Amino acid sequence: MSTLRSILHQRCPRCRQGAIFRGPLLRGWLSMYERCPVCNLKFEREQGYFIGAMYVSYGLAIPPYLLLVTALWLFVGWRYELALLGAVVAYLPFVPLAMRMSRVIWMYIDQAFDPEK
């Protein structure tokens, strides 16, 4: 399975087969397995491991947010301040998905630079 496909399917960064999360997004959106059910890779290596995922989450959130602000401001004609607020409200339902994806991407980045055998 390709790296991008494994990330999108939220699979283990080492074996790319085991699930990272216990259930679907709407039921326990951050409920993760402690280890990969297939290869036994420990997902959270240390306390505070997912702090780096916050940077990834920020990077994932900025492009769609800016597109929403631009669309509301330029094309819909809202005042800029209202467009900023509207974009925040419009993006809120996607926060759980962004959080999940940022954790997965962070684990893939970490595994690429410091693989746990």
Side-chain angles (χ1 to χ4, degrees):
M1 189 179 284
S2 74
T3 302
L4 180 60
R5 189 177 178 133
S6 299
I7 289 171
L8 292 175
H9 285 101
Q10 302 167 1
R11 299 295 176 196
C12 171
R14 183 165 62 187
C15 70
R16 296 187 182 162
Q17 294 175 358
I20 294 173
F21 295 97
R22 294 182 183 276
L25 179 64
L26 297 177
R27 193 179 51 183
W29 56 284
L30 280 182
S31 179
M32 295 177 60
Y33 289 107
E34 184 179 332
R35 295 182 172 274
C36 174
V38 176
C39 71
N40 205 34
L41 174 70
K42 186 173 182 180
F43 291 137
E44 188 171 358
R45 291 188 181 190
E46 60 193 6
Q47 183 89 15
Y49 175 72
F50 288 112
I51 289 176
M54 291 184 341
Y55 297 105
V56 175
S57 178
Y58 182 74
L60 288 176
I62 291 301
Y65 177 74
L66 290 177
L67 284 173
L68 285 167
V69 169
T70 303
L72 293 173
W73 183 39
L74 296 178
F75 302 123
V76 178
W78 289 8
R79 287 191 347 252
Y80 184 69
E81 297 81 14
L82 193 58
L84 289 171
L85 183 61
V88 167
V89 172
Y91 186 75
L92 279 177
F94 299 100
V95 169
L97 177 62
M99 289 287 294
R100 265 194 176 202
M101 293 309 295
S102 66
R103 283 188 172 207
V104 173
I105 293 169
W106 177 250
M107 285 190 285
Y108 272 79
I109 291 169
D110 184 54
Q111 189 67 21
F113 283 104
D114 185 20
E116 186 177 309
K117 309 265 189 244

Short mmCIF file of all heavy atoms in Angstrom, two decimals, residues 53-110:
data_model
loop_
_atom_site.label_atom_id
_atom_site.label_comp_id
_atom_site.label_asym_id
_atom_site.label_seq_id
_atom_site.Cartn_x
_atom_site.Cartn_y
_atom_site.Cartn_z
N ALA A 53 2.21 16.98 16.38
CA ALA A 53 1.03 16.88 15.52
C ALA A 53 0.26 18.19 15.49
O ALA A 53 -0.49 18.44 14.54
CB ALA A 53 0.14 15.73 15.99
N MET A 54 0.44 19.02 16.52
CA MET A 54 -0.23 20.32 16.52
C MET A 54 0.27 21.19 15.36
O MET A 54 -0.51 21.91 14.74
CB MET A 54 -0.02 21.04 17.85
CG MET A 54 -0.74 20.40 18.99
SD MET A 54 -0.65 21.22 20.59
CE MET A 54 0.72 22.29 20.52
N TYR A 55 1.55 21.12 15.07
CA TYR A 55 2.10 21.88 13.95
C TYR A 55 1.55 21.36 12.62
O TYR A 55 1.24 22.13 11.72
CB TYR A 55 3.63 21.82 13.95
CG TYR A 55 4.24 22.46 15.17
CD1 TYR A 55 4.76 21.69 16.20
CD2 TYR A 55 4.26 23.85 15.30
CE1 TYR A 55 5.30 22.27 17.33
CE2 TYR A 55 4.80 24.45 16.42
CZ TYR A 55 5.32 23.65 17.44
OH TYR A 55 5.85 24.23 18.55
N VAL A 56 1.45 20.04 12.51
CA VAL A 56 0.87 19.44 11.31
C VAL A 56 -0.59 19.86 11.17
O VAL A 56 -1.05 20.20 10.08
CB VAL A 56 1.00 17.90 11.35
CG1 VAL A 56 0.31 17.26 10.16
CG2 VAL A 56 2.47 17.48 11.40
N SER A 57 -1.33 19.85 12.28
CA SER A 57 -2.73 20.25 12.28
C SER A 57 -2.87 21.70 11.81
O SER A 57 -3.77 22.02 11.03
CB SER A 57 -3.33 20.07 13.67
OG SER A 57 -4.66 20.50 13.70
N TYR A 58 -2.00 22.55 12.28
CA TYR A 58 -2.01 23.95 11.86
C TYR A 58 -1.79 24.05 10.36
O TYR A 58 -2.49 24.77 9.65
CB TYR A 58 -0.93 24.72 12.62
CG TYR A 58 -0.87 26.18 12.31
CD1 TYR A 58 -1.84 27.05 12.79
CD2 TYR A 58 0.15 26.71 11.53
CE1 TYR A 58 -1.79 28.41 12.49
CE2 TYR A 58 0.21 28.05 11.24
CZ TYR A 58 -0.76 28.90 11.73
OH TYR A 58 -0.71 30.24 11.43
N GLY A 59 -0.82 23.30 9.85
CA GLY A 59 -0.54 23.30 8.41
C GLY A 59 -1.70 22.76 7.59
O GLY A 59 -1.94 23.21 6.47
N LEU A 60 -2.42 21.80 8.14
CA LEU A 60 -3.59 21.25 7.44
C LEU A 60 -4.76 22.22 7.45
O LEU A 60 -5.57 22.24 6.53
CB LEU A 60 -4.04 19.93 8.08
CG LEU A 60 -3.16 18.71 7.89
CD1 LEU A 60 -3.71 17.54 8.69
CD2 LEU A 60 -3.06 18.35 6.43
N ALA A 61 -4.88 23.02 8.51
CA ALA A 61 -6.04 23.89 8.68
C ALA A 61 -5.94 25.21 7.90
O ALA A 61 -6.97 25.74 7.47
CB ALA A 61 -6.25 24.20 10.16
N ILE A 62 -4.75 25.72 7.74
CA ILE A 62 -4.59 27.05 7.13
C ILE A 62 -5.09 27.13 5.69
O ILE A 62 -5.86 28.04 5.37
CB ILE A 62 -3.12 27.53 7.25
CG1 ILE A 62 -2.80 27.82 8.71
CG2 ILE A 62 -2.86 28.76 6.40
CD1 ILE A 62 -3.68 28.86 9.36
N PRO A 63 -4.72 26.23 4.78
CA PRO A 63 -5.20 26.37 3.40
C PRO A 63 -6.73 26.38 3.25
O PRO A 63 -7.26 27.30 2.61
CB PRO A 63 -4.55 25.19 2.65
CG PRO A 63 -3.33 24.90 3.45
CD PRO A 63 -3.71 25.16 4.88
N PRO A 64 -7.46 25.41 3.84
CA PRO A 64 -8.92 25.49 3.67
C PRO A 64 -9.53 26.71 4.36
O PRO A 64 -10.50 27.29 3.86
CB PRO A 64 -9.45 24.19 4.28
CG PRO A 64 -8.37 23.62 5.07
CD PRO A 64 -7.09 24.18 4.53
N TYR A 65 -8.95 27.11 5.49
CA TYR A 65 -9.45 28.30 6.19
C TYR A 65 -9.29 29.54 5.32
O TYR A 65 -10.20 30.35 5.18
CB TYR A 65 -8.74 28.47 7.53
CG TYR A 65 -9.16 29.71 8.27
CD1 TYR A 65 -10.39 29.78 8.90
CD2 TYR A 65 -8.33 30.82 8.32
CE1 TYR A 65 -10.80 30.93 9.56
CE2 TYR A 65 -8.72 31.97 8.98
CZ TYR A 65 -9.96 32.02 9.60
OH TYR A 65 -10.35 33.16 10.25
N LEU A 66 -8.12 29.70 4.71
CA LEU A 66 -7.89 30.85 3.85
C LEU A 66 -8.79 30.84 2.62
O LEU A 66 -9.27 31.89 2.17
CB LEU A 66 -6.42 30.92 3.43
CG LEU A 66 -5.44 31.29 4.53
CD1 LEU A 66 -4.00 31.26 4.01
CD2 LEU A 66 -5.76 32.64 5.13
N LEU A 67 -9.05 29.66 2.08
CA LEU A 67 -9.98 29.55 0.96
C LEU A 67 -11.39 29.96 1.37
O LEU A 67 -12.09 30.65 0.62
CB LEU A 67 -9.99 28.14 0.40
CG LEU A 67 -8.79 27.75 -0.45
CD1 LEU A 67 -8.83 26.27 -0.81
CD2 LEU A 67 -8.74 28.59 -1.71
N LEU A 68 -11.80 29.53 2.56
CA LEU A 68 -13.12 29.92 3.06
C LEU A 68 -13.22 31.43 3.28
O LEU A 68 -14.21 32.05 2.89
CB LEU A 68 -13.43 29.18 4.36
CG LEU A 68 -13.81 27.72 4.25
CD1 LEU A 68 -13.78 27.05 5.61
CD2 LEU A 68 -15.18 27.58 3.61
N VAL A 69 -12.20 32.01 3.89
CA VAL A 69 -12.19 33.46 4.12
C VAL A 69 -12.25 34.19 2.79
O VAL A 69 -13.05 35.13 2.61
CB VAL A 69 -10.94 33.89 4.92
CG1 VAL A 69 -10.79 35.41 4.91
CG2 VAL A 69 -11.01 33.38 6.34
N THR A 70 -11.44 33.76 1.84
CA THR A 70 -11.42 34.41 0.52
C THR A 70 -12.77 34.31 -0.16
O THR A 70 -13.27 35.29 -0.72
CB THR A 70 -10.32 33.78 -0.36
OG1 THR A 70 -9.07 33.90 0.31
CG2 THR A 70 -10.25 34.45 -1.72
N ALA A 71 -13.36 33.11 -0.11
CA ALA A 71 -14.66 32.92 -0.76
C ALA A 71 -15.74 33.78 -0.12
O ALA A 71 -16.53 34.42 -0.83
CB ALA A 71 -15.06 31.45 -0.70
N LEU A 72 -15.75 33.82 1.20
CA LEU A 72 -16.78 34.61 1.89
C LEU A 72 -16.57 36.12 1.71
O LEU A 72 -17.53 36.88 1.61
CB LEU A 72 -16.81 34.26 3.37
CG LEU A 72 -17.29 32.85 3.71
CD1 LEU A 72 -17.11 32.56 5.20
CD2 LEU A 72 -18.73 32.63 3.29
N TRP A 73 -15.33 36.53 1.67
CA TRP A 73 -15.01 37.96 1.57
C TRP A 73 -15.16 38.48 0.15
O TRP A 73 -15.88 39.46 -0.11
CB TRP A 73 -13.60 38.18 2.09
CG TRP A 73 -13.14 39.60 2.14
CD1 TRP A 73 -13.86 40.70 2.50
CD2 TRP A 73 -11.84 40.07 1.80
NE1 TRP A 73 -13.08 41.82 2.42
CE2 TRP A 73 -11.83 41.46 2.00
CE3 TRP A 73 -10.68 39.46 1.39
CZ2 TRP A 73 -10.71 42.25 1.77
CZ3 TRP A 73 -9.56 40.23 1.17
CH2 TRP A 73 -9.58 41.61 1.35
N LEU A 74 -14.50 37.81 -0.80
CA LEU A 74 -14.48 38.33 -2.16
C LEU A 74 -15.70 37.93 -2.99
O LEU A 74 -16.22 38.74 -3.75
CB LEU A 74 -13.21 37.87 -2.88
CG LEU A 74 -11.89 38.40 -2.30
CD1 LEU A 74 -10.71 37.83 -3.07
CD2 LEU A 74 -11.87 39.92 -2.32
N PHE A 75 -16.12 36.68 -2.87
CA PHE A 75 -17.17 36.19 -3.76
C PHE A 75 -18.58 36.37 -3.18
O PHE A 75 -19.52 36.61 -3.91
CB PHE A 75 -16.91 34.74 -4.14
CG PHE A 75 -15.58 34.53 -4.80
CD1 PHE A 75 -14.66 33.65 -4.27
CD2 PHE A 75 -15.24 35.25 -5.94
CE1 PHE A 75 -13.42 33.47 -4.88
CE2 PHE A 75 -14.01 35.07 -6.55
CZ PHE A 75 -13.10 34.19 -6.02
N VAL A 76 -18.70 36.22 -1.86
CA VAL A 76 -20.01 36.39 -1.24
C VAL A 76 -20.24 37.85 -0.86
O VAL A 76 -21.38 38.30 -0.79
CB VAL A 76 -20.16 35.45 -0.01
CG1 VAL A 76 -21.49 35.63 0.68
CG2 VAL A 76 -19.97 34.00 -0.43
N GLY A 77 -19.15 38.57 -0.61
CA GLY A 77 -19.27 39.98 -0.31
C GLY A 77 -19.41 40.32 1.16
O GLY A 77 -19.82 41.44 1.49
N TRP A 78 -19.08 39.40 2.03
CA TRP A 78 -19.14 39.68 3.48
C TRP A 78 -18.01 40.63 3.86
O TRP A 78 -16.95 40.65 3.24
CB TRP A 78 -19.01 38.40 4.28
CG TRP A 78 -20.20 37.48 4.21
CD1 TRP A 78 -21.28 37.60 3.41
CD2 TRP A 78 -20.39 36.31 4.99
NE1 TRP A 78 -22.14 36.56 3.62
CE2 TRP A 78 -21.62 35.75 4.60
CE3 TRP A 78 -19.66 35.66 5.98
CZ2 TRP A 78 -22.12 34.59 5.16
CZ3 TRP A 78 -20.16 34.50 6.53
CH2 TRP A 78 -21.38 33.98 6.13
N ARG A 79 -18.24 41.40 4.94
CA ARG A 79 -17.14 42.20 5.50
C ARG A 79 -16.03 41.25 5.93
O ARG A 79 -16.27 40.12 6.30
CB ARG A 79 -17.64 42.98 6.74
CG ARG A 79 -18.53 44.14 6.41
CD ARG A 79 -18.78 45.05 7.63
NE ARG A 79 -18.38 44.52 8.92
CZ ARG A 79 -19.23 44.10 9.87
NH1 ARG A 79 -20.53 44.14 9.66
NH2 ARG A 79 -18.77 43.65 11.02
N TYR A 80 -14.80 41.75 5.89
CA TYR A 80 -13.63 40.90 6.18
C TYR A 80 -13.73 40.25 7.56
O TYR A 80 -13.47 39.06 7.71
CB TYR A 80 -12.35 41.72 6.04
CG TYR A 80 -11.10 40.90 6.24
CD1 TYR A 80 -10.74 39.95 5.30
CD2 TYR A 80 -10.31 41.07 7.36
CE1 TYR A 80 -9.60 39.18 5.46
CE2 TYR A 80 -9.17 40.31 7.54
CZ TYR A 80 -8.82 39.36 6.59
OH TYR A 80 -7.70 38.60 6.77
N GLU A 81 -14.11 41.03 8.58
CA GLU A 81 -14.20 40.50 9.94
C GLU A 81 -15.25 39.39 10.03
O GLU A 81 -15.05 38.37 10.68
CB GLU A 81 -14.56 41.60 10.94
CG GLU A 81 -13.52 42.70 11.06
CD GLU A 81 -13.63 43.74 9.94
OE1 GLU A 81 -14.65 43.77 9.22
OE2 GLU A 81 -12.66 44.50 9.80
N LEU A 82 -16.35 39.58 9.34
CA LEU A 82 -17.41 38.58 9.32
C LEU A 82 -16.97 37.33 8.55
O LEU A 82 -17.31 36.20 8.91
CB LEU A 82 -18.68 39.17 8.71
CG LEU A 82 -19.96 38.37 8.88
CD1 LEU A 82 -20.26 38.14 10.36
CD2 LEU A 82 -21.12 39.10 8.23
N ALA A 83 -16.21 37.53 7.48
CA ALA A 83 -15.68 36.40 6.71
C ALA A 83 -14.72 35.57 7.56
O ALA A 83 -14.73 34.34 7.48
CB ALA A 83 -14.98 36.91 5.45
N LEU A 84 -13.89 36.23 8.38
CA LEU A 84 -12.99 35.50 9.28
C LEU A 84 -13.78 34.63 10.25
O LEU A 84 -13.47 33.45 10.46
CB LEU A 84 -12.10 36.47 10.05
CG LEU A 84 -11.01 37.20 9.28
CD1 LEU A 84 -10.39 38.28 10.14
CD2 LEU A 84 -9.97 36.23 8.78
N LEU A 85 -14.79 35.21 10.86
CA LEU A 85 -15.62 34.48 11.81
C LEU A 85 -16.41 33.36 11.12
O LEU A 85 -16.51 32.25 11.63
CB LEU A 85 -16.57 35.45 12.51
CG LEU A 85 -17.46 34.85 13.59
CD1 LEU A 85 -16.63 34.26 14.71
CD2 LEU A 85 -18.41 35.90 14.11
N GLY A 86 -16.96 33.65 9.95
CA GLY A 86 -17.71 32.65 9.20
C GLY A 86 -16.84 31.46 8.81
O GLY A 86 -17.30 30.32 8.84
N ALA A 87 -15.60 31.72 8.45
CA ALA A 87 -14.68 30.64 8.08
C ALA A 87 -14.37 29.76 9.28
O ALA A 87 -14.27 28.54 9.15
CB ALA A 87 -13.41 31.21 7.48
N VAL A 88 -14.22 30.35 10.45
CA VAL A 88 -13.99 29.57 11.67
C VAL A 88 -15.17 28.64 11.92
O VAL A 88 -15.01 27.45 12.16
CB VAL A 88 -13.74 30.48 12.90
CG1 VAL A 88 -13.81 29.70 14.19
CG2 VAL A 88 -12.41 31.19 12.77
N VAL A 89 -16.36 29.20 11.85
CA VAL A 89 -17.57 28.40 12.09
C VAL A 89 -17.71 27.30 11.04
O VAL A 89 -18.06 26.16 11.37
CB VAL A 89 -18.82 29.31 12.12
CG1 VAL A 89 -20.10 28.50 12.17
CG2 VAL A 89 -18.74 30.27 13.31
N ALA A 90 -17.43 27.62 9.79
CA ALA A 90 -17.54 26.63 8.72
C ALA A 90 -16.51 25.52 8.86
O ALA A 90 -16.76 24.37 8.47
CB ALA A 90 -17.40 27.31 7.36
N TYR A 91 -15.33 25.83 9.41
CA TYR A 91 -14.26 24.83 9.54
C TYR A 91 -14.43 23.94 10.77
O TYR A 91 -13.90 22.83 10.79
CB TYR A 91 -12.89 25.53 9.58
CG TYR A 91 -11.74 24.55 9.57
CD1 TYR A 91 -11.40 23.89 8.40
CD2 TYR A 91 -11.03 24.29 10.73
CE1 TYR A 91 -10.36 22.97 8.39
CE2 TYR A 91 -9.99 23.37 10.73
CZ TYR A 91 -9.66 22.72 9.56
OH TYR A 91 -8.64 21.81 9.54
N LEU A 92 -15.15 24.38 11.77
CA LEU A 92 -15.29 23.63 13.02
C LEU A 92 -15.68 22.16 12.85
O LEU A 92 -15.11 21.30 13.54
CB LEU A 92 -16.27 24.33 13.96
CG LEU A 92 -15.69 25.49 14.75
CD1 LEU A 92 -16.79 26.14 15.59
CD2 LEU A 92 -14.53 25.06 15.62
N PRO A 93 -16.61 21.80 11.97
CA PRO A 93 -16.95 20.38 11.84
C PRO A 93 -15.80 19.50 11.34
O PRO A 93 -15.81 18.29 11.51
CB PRO A 93 -18.10 20.37 10.82
CG PRO A 93 -18.63 21.74 10.83
CD PRO A 93 -17.51 22.65 11.20
N PHE A 94 -14.79 20.12 10.74
CA PHE A 94 -13.67 19.36 10.19
C PHE A 94 -12.50 19.21 11.17
O PHE A 94 -11.52 18.53 10.87
CB PHE A 94 -13.18 20.01 8.90
CG PHE A 94 -14.23 20.06 7.84
CD1 PHE A 94 -14.94 21.23 7.61
CD2 PHE A 94 -14.54 18.94 7.10
CE1 PHE A 94 -15.93 21.28 6.65
CE2 PHE A 94 -15.53 18.97 6.14
CZ PHE A 94 -16.23 20.14 5.91
N VAL A 95 -12.60 19.82 12.34
CA VAL A 95 -11.52 19.76 13.33
C VAL A 95 -11.22 18.33 13.78
O VAL A 95 -10.04 17.95 13.84
CB VAL A 95 -11.82 20.69 14.53
CG1 VAL A 95 -10.86 20.44 15.67
CG2 VAL A 95 -11.75 22.14 14.08
N PRO A 96 -12.21 17.49 14.09
CA PRO A 96 -11.88 16.11 14.49
C PRO A 96 -11.11 15.35 13.41
O PRO A 96 -10.14 14.64 13.71
CB PRO A 96 -13.24 15.47 14.76
CG PRO A 96 -14.12 16.60 15.12
CD PRO A 96 -13.65 17.75 14.28
N LEU A 97 -11.50 15.52 12.16
CA LEU A 97 -10.79 14.85 11.07
C LEU A 97 -9.36 15.39 10.95
O LEU A 97 -8.41 14.62 10.78
CB LEU A 97 -11.53 15.04 9.74
CG LEU A 97 -10.85 14.45 8.51
CD1 LEU A 97 -10.71 12.94 8.64
CD2 LEU A 97 -11.63 14.82 7.26
N ALA A 98 -9.20 16.70 11.08
CA ALA A 98 -7.86 17.29 11.00
C ALA A 98 -6.98 16.81 12.15
O ALA A 98 -5.79 16.55 11.95
CB ALA A 98 -7.95 18.81 11.01
N MET A 99 -7.56 16.66 13.33
CA MET A 99 -6.79 16.16 14.48
C MET A 99 -6.31 14.73 14.23
O MET A 99 -5.16 14.40 14.49
CB MET A 99 -7.64 16.20 15.75
CG MET A 99 -7.91 17.57 16.28
SD MET A 99 -6.48 18.31 17.04
CE MET A 99 -6.27 17.24 18.43
N ARG A 100 -7.20 13.89 13.73
CA ARG A 100 -6.82 12.51 13.43
C ARG A 100 -5.73 12.46 12.38
O ARG A 100 -4.73 11.77 12.54
CB ARG A 100 -8.03 11.72 12.92
CG ARG A 100 -8.74 10.97 13.97
CD ARG A 100 -9.68 9.98 13.33
NE ARG A 100 -10.30 9.18 14.36
CZ ARG A 100 -10.82 8.00 14.16
NH1 ARG A 100 -10.83 7.47 12.96
NH2 ARG A 100 -11.35 7.34 15.16
N MET A 101 -5.95 13.17 11.28
CA MET A 101 -4.99 13.13 10.18
C MET A 101 -3.64 13.71 10.60
O MET A 101 -2.60 13.22 10.18
CB MET A 101 -5.54 13.88 8.96
CG MET A 101 -6.74 13.21 8.33
SD MET A 101 -6.52 11.45 7.98
CE MET A 101 -5.24 11.51 6.76
N SER A 102 -3.65 14.73 11.44
CA SER A 102 -2.38 15.32 11.88
C SER A 102 -1.60 14.32 12.74
O SER A 102 -0.38 14.25 12.63
CB SER A 102 -2.61 16.62 12.64
OG SER A 102 -3.28 16.41 13.85
N ARG A 103 -2.28 13.55 13.56
CA ARG A 103 -1.59 12.52 14.35
C ARG A 103 -0.98 11.46 13.45
O ARG A 103 0.14 11.02 13.65
CB ARG A 103 -2.53 11.88 15.36
CG ARG A 103 -2.77 12.74 16.56
CD ARG A 103 -3.56 12.01 17.61
NE ARG A 103 -3.61 12.83 18.82
CZ ARG A 103 -3.74 12.35 20.03
NH1 ARG A 103 -3.85 11.06 20.22
NH2 ARG A 103 -3.77 13.16 21.06
N VAL A 104 -1.74 11.03 12.46
CA VAL A 104 -1.24 10.00 11.53
C VAL A 104 -0.04 10.53 10.76
O VAL A 104 1.00 9.86 10.67
CB VAL A 104 -2.37 9.56 10.57
CG1 VAL A 104 -1.82 8.63 9.50
CG2 VAL A 104 -3.50 8.89 11.34
N ILE A 105 -0.15 11.73 10.22
CA ILE A 105 0.96 12.31 9.46
C ILE A 105 2.19 12.50 10.35
O ILE A 105 3.32 12.22 9.94
CB ILE A 105 0.53 13.64 8.80
CG1 ILE A 105 -0.51 13.36 7.71
CG2 ILE A 105 1.73 14.39 8.22
CD1 ILE A 105 -1.20 14.60 7.19
N TRP A 106 1.97 12.93 11.58
CA TRP A 106 3.08 13.11 12.52
C TRP A 106 3.80 11.77 12.76
O TRP A 106 5.02 11.70 12.79
CB TRP A 106 2.61 13.71 13.83
CG TRP A 106 3.72 13.83 14.83
CD1 TRP A 106 3.88 13.12 15.98
CD2 TRP A 106 4.86 14.69 14.75
NE1 TRP A 106 5.02 13.49 16.62
CE2 TRP A 106 5.65 14.45 15.87
CE3 TRP A 106 5.28 15.63 13.82
CZ2 TRP A 106 6.84 15.12 16.11
CZ3 TRP A 106 6.48 16.31 14.05
CH2 TRP A 106 7.23 16.05 15.18
N MET A 107 3.04 10.69 12.92
CA MET A 107 3.66 9.38 13.14
C MET A 107 4.46 8.95 11.91
O MET A 107 5.53 8.35 12.03
CB MET A 107 2.61 8.33 13.48
CG MET A 107 2.10 8.46 14.89
SD MET A 107 1.08 7.08 15.41
CE MET A 107 -0.42 7.40 14.53
N TYR A 108 3.95 9.24 10.71
CA TYR A 108 4.67 8.90 9.49
C TYR A 108 5.96 9.70 9.37
O TYR A 108 6.99 9.18 8.96
CB TYR A 108 3.78 9.11 8.26
CG TYR A 108 2.96 7.89 7.92
CD1 TYR A 108 1.81 7.58 8.63
CD2 TYR A 108 3.35 7.04 6.90
CE1 TYR A 108 1.07 6.45 8.33
CE2 TYR A 108 2.62 5.91 6.59
CZ TYR A 108 1.48 5.62 7.31
OH TYR A 108 0.75 4.50 7.02
N ILE A 109 5.90 11.00 9.70
CA ILE A 109 7.11 11.83 9.67
C ILE A 109 8.13 11.30 10.67
O ILE A 109 9.31 11.12 10.35
CB ILE A 109 6.76 13.31 9.96
CG1 ILE A 109 5.96 13.91 8.83
CG2 ILE A 109 8.03 14.13 10.22
CD1 ILE A 109 5.36 15.28 9.14
N ASP A 110 7.69 11.02 11.88
CA ASP A 110 8.58 10.52 12.92
C ASP A 110 9.19 9.18 12.54
O ASP A 110 10.38 8.95 12.73
CB ASP A 110 7.82 10.40 14.24
CG ASP A 110 8.71 9.97 15.37
OD1 ASP A 110 9.75 10.62 15.60
OD2 ASP A 110 8.38 8.97 16.05
#
